[in-house]
Amino acid sequence: MGLVGVLCIIVGWWLAALVISDNVILPSPVATARTLLHYLTRPYPARGETLLGDTAMSLARILAGFAWGALVGVVLGALMSALRPLRLIVDPLIELGRPLPPLAFIPLLIVWFGIGELPKVVLIGLGVIPIMVVSVVAALDAVPEEYIEAARSLGASPRYALLHVRVRAALPGVITGLRLAMGISWTSIVAVEMIAATNGLGYVILEASNYLVTTLIFSGIVLIAAVALILDGLLRLVRRLAAPMG
Amino acid sequence: MAGVHVRNVSKSFAHGGSIVEILRNVSIPVGEGEFVSLVGRSGCGKTTLLRIIGGFVHADAGSVLVDEAPVRGPGSDRGMLFQQPMLFPWLTVLDNTLFGPRAEGSCTPGTRARALELLGIVGLAGFEFHYPKQLSGGMMHRAAFARAMMVDPEILLMDEPFGALDALTRTGMQQFLLDLWERRRFTVVLVTHDVEEAVLLSDRVAVMASQPGELVETIPIPLPRPRTYEVSESADFVDLKRRVRRAVEHARGGTAMVGAGRAAALY
Ligand SMILES: Nc1ncnc2c1ncn2[C@@H]1O[C@H](COP(=O)(O)OP(=O)(O)OP(=O)(O)O)[C@@H](O)[C@H]1O
Ligand SMILES: [Mg+2]
């Protein structure tokens, strides 16, 4: 069923491209696909990188930033859920920081960390942390106390009940948090690659627009959508394993 | 098997700056293999008392003795059943049933066979590999019973275990509990709002007053055992029901606190 929506968009795109019939304003899906496939494994003339290479670059940054951000977020969230005082201290910080788009920090991160890989990976992590903290705290808080009591009266030690019931029961909620965090990671990476990078999909899109190669802009967007979809699909699969029957 | 001796238990909670007395000097001796129900108005402290027996809440004064030993925390000698079955949704029915032995590290080659046998007894043969969400409400409760029975508790503590079920399923579960109790003769403390349920199942019904929660009367139910639902049509049953209902009504307590739903359940 999900395919129907995608097909509708492609058909709509096609029709619009036919009506406009200007390859710079709106290239057709076919023209885009041709460009995409061509440069997937061949370097674009103006630069020495293939689309596949740029995709790999963006993906590597996302995975690195996502990994450290998720790790810090999960640990911090778990500690906050267990220790009330910590929650009282960190909660306002999260509330204060949440409305700030991570992108606002790009210039600062560049000043601090230069234009290498570090500021990009730091930025992604900064976007991921608050989302993971909020969803981990919410998921752990939502575990009914009766689950723990049932486990304890079945002979579980406090430690066993914590690991096998509280943490386990919170898992699906944490994975949903990971999916949300993955979304914000893409926002961060594309933005930072447009401002301070010489490769990656965000850079490809910006550069293509400088040269008015619209097919390449669309190729970049399609690649981002495809990779994001695959990553989300993986997380959804993990969630289904963690929560059988939904 | 073991009895439960609730001795002079008192409990207060801090509530918005003031201290509210919830239980005052409650004493209930429950004999080995005896079935005792706890009835009283909403908010009189029944759940709190059950949680004290379960070891999840500490009494301010008094003690709970199980086999002469004071309760210091939760333990597998006291099984707990709640209004919701509280099956772990990520485990199959069989794995839920095996949770206790696994948590205790007491699994032997025969454990799985015993779990399967127990699931057969509660009428869940063929559903061992289903997840809780695939079961009906009554089936979930029976699975919860099987899970609790797996660790051989000597005492079963139940907090309105059938309160969320429809009338027909509830009747079925009451019969199921009567049969299970005939087989095993564990000691039971059952909290319920349903006077009919209390009379049908119990050897004695303890009636509590509220604000603060105090034991006002313990009414023996000398109906013959083994019982079936038919006993509820006898004149003795109707008399006992009336007696319990009167006692609940006349017990001091915040009448205004009784919601319409709760009030309806009393009659
Ligand atoms: N942890 C707690 N902290 C503060 N007050 C509590 C706590 N637990 C229970 N109470 C209060 O104690 C009183 C008795 O609660 P309890 O749940 O034991 O009543 P109950 O008899 O089980 O009521 P119901 O029939 O509605 O289930 C209530 O007024 C409740 O607000
Ligand atoms: Mg209650």
Side-chain angles (χ1 to χ4, degrees):
Chain A
M1 279 320 279
L3 277 180
V4 174
V6 175
L7 276 178
C8 280
I9 287 180
I10 292 178
V11 169
W13 174 7
W14 205 324
L15 291 176
L18 276 180
V19 171
I20 295 171
S21 71
D22 179 338
N23 242 347
V24 173
I25 303 280
L26 186 65
S28 76
V30 177
T32 301
R34 209 179 294 126
T35 306
L36 198 160
L37 291 177
H38 185 82
Y39 291 116
L40 204 55
T41 50
R42 266 171 285 227
Y44 194 67
R47 24 190 269 94
E49 189 62 271
T50 62
L51 278 178
L52 216 51
D54 283 311
T55 307
M57 205 60 227
S58 293
L59 189 61
R61 286 169 182 151
I62 285 228
L63 292 182
F66 183 77
W68 87 264
L71 192 70
V72 171
V74 167
V75 170
L76 190 57
L79 289 175
M80 282 167 68
S81 170
L83 308 169
R84 272 226 100 69
L86 186 67
R87 177 185 303 208
L88 294 179
I89 295 168
V90 179
D91 251 346
L93 295 180
I94 300 266
E95 286 311 311
L96 252 152
R98 254 198 324 168
L100 294 173
L103 314 186
F105 295 104
I106 293 178
L108 192 60
L109 293 177
I110 290 173
V111 171
W112 284 350
F113 303 115
I115 56 164
E117 293 309 314
L118 195 57
K120 301 172 183 68
V121 172
V122 169
L123 181 81
I124 295 170
L126 286 183
V128 167
I129 288 172
I131 295 181
M132 287 318 294
V133 166
V134 170
S135 53
V136 167
V137 169
L140 285 170
D141 281 1
V143 178
E145 215 44 48
E146 277 127 329
Y147 274 167
I148 310 299
E149 296 185 358
R152 297 279 279 125
S153 64
L154 289 167
S157 64
R159 193 187 139 85
Y160 192 94
L162 174 70
L163 293 177
H164 288 81
V165 179
R166 197 184 292 283
V167 170
R168 182 62 187 79
L171 205 53
V174 173
I175 297 171
T176 299
L178 288 175
R179 289 181 60 197
L180 295 172
M182 187 58 90
I184 198 90
S185 299
W186 280 103
T187 313
S188 303
I189 191 61
V190 171
V192 77
E193 281 175 353
M194 285 183 174
I195 294 177
T198 51
N199 52 20
L201 288 174
Y203 177 75
V204 167
I205 290 173
L206 188 77
E207 203 196 33
S209 89
N210 287 339
Y211 293 103
L212 287 180
V213 191
T214 321
T215 50
L216 201 56
I217 298 182
F218 273 92
S219 297
I221 293 174
V222 167
L223 278 174
I224 290 173
V227 178
L229 211 65
I230 291 169
L231 289 178
D232 191 56
L234 287 177
L235 284 172
R236 278 219 296 237
L237 185 72
V238 175
R239 191 180 189 286
R240 218 175 15 254
L241 293 177
M245 304 297 125
Chain B
M1 289 295 157
V4 182
H5 200 145
V6 178
R7 239 176 23 185
N8 309 104
V9 163
S10 297
K11 179 75 193 174
S12 301
F13 282 118
H15 205 287
S18 63
I19 304 253
V20 184
E21 193 179 13
I22 303 294
L23 294 172
R24 178 186 288 174
N25 202 26
V26 176
S27 294
I28 307 175
V30 183
E32 221 174 279
E34 195 181 19
F35 198 126
V36 171
S37 287
L38 223 52
V39 298
R41 288 177 196 280
S42 187
C44 72
K46 304 180 293 293
T47 295
T48 305
L49 181 58
L50 205 68
R51 286 163 53 79
I52 289 174
I53 301 174
F56 298 108
V57 174
H58 289 286
D60 297 337
S63 56
V64 175
L65 302 177
V66 171
D67 256 354
E68 310 302 318
V71 165
R72 299 200 189 286
S76 61
D77 54 335
R78 281 150 293 142
M80 274 281 234
L81 290 163
F82 309 90
Q83 187 165 4
Q84 301 302 326
M86 290 297 153
L87 297 173
F88 303 127
W90 58 90
L91 296 178
T92 61
V93 169
L94 178 61
D95 285 334
N96 263 284
T97 313
L98 288 169
F99 182 91
R102 282 178 182 156
E104 288 188 316
S106 64
C107 276
T108 63
T111 307
R112 194 183 145 96
R114 213 164 66 79
L116 290 171
E117 185 196 339
L118 210 48
L119 286 172
I121 291 174
V122 302
L124 287 174
F127 292 92
E128 296 88 351
F129 301 104
H130 283 56
Y131 284 94
K133 280 205 179 130
Q134 297 171 297
L135 304 182
S136 72
M139 289 162 90
M140 284 197 241
H141 275 282
R142 281 182 275 140
F145 269 96
R147 182 176 70 174
M149 301 316 299
M150 215 32 213
V151 290
D152 283 321
E154 313 198 331
I155 298 150
L156 221 45
L157 307 173
M158 296 185 251
D159 195 354
E160 302 185 52
F162 313 135
L165 297 175
D166 65 274
L168 213 60
T169 311
R170 183 159 58 233
T171 309
M173 286 305 296
Q174 288 162 351
Q175 188 61 58
F176 164 80
L177 180 53
L178 279 173
D179 295 343
L180 196 64
W181 183 81
E182 284 300 339
R183 255 174 209 266
R184 302 262 181 150
R185 291 282 176 158
F186 31 72
T187 308
V188 179
V189 181
L190 170 82
V191 167
T192 178
H193 275 99
D194 185 342
V195 169
E196 182 153 335
E197 176 171 280
V199 174
L200 175 67
L201 300 176
S202 314
D203 296 317
R204 283 188 300 140
V205 177
V207 180
M208 287 175 66
S210 42
Q211 297 175 352
E214 258 180 316
L215 192 69
V216 285
E217 196 178 349
T218 307
I219 300 169
I221 309 293
L223 297 170
R225 300 250 189 205
R227 292 180 200 162
T228 63
Y229 206 75
E230 268 91 77
V231 77
S232 64
E233 282 148 26
S234 71
D236 285 346
F237 185 92
V238 176
D239 277 345
L240 286 163
K241 215 172 87 180
R242 189 179 301 126
R243 236 190 106 191
V244 173
R245 203 173 56 217
R246 289 255 164 82
V248 174
E249 281 167 17
H250 292 155
R252 157 187 48 76
T255 321
M257 302 280 287
V258 182
R262 298 296 206 191
L266 289 175
Y267 301 103

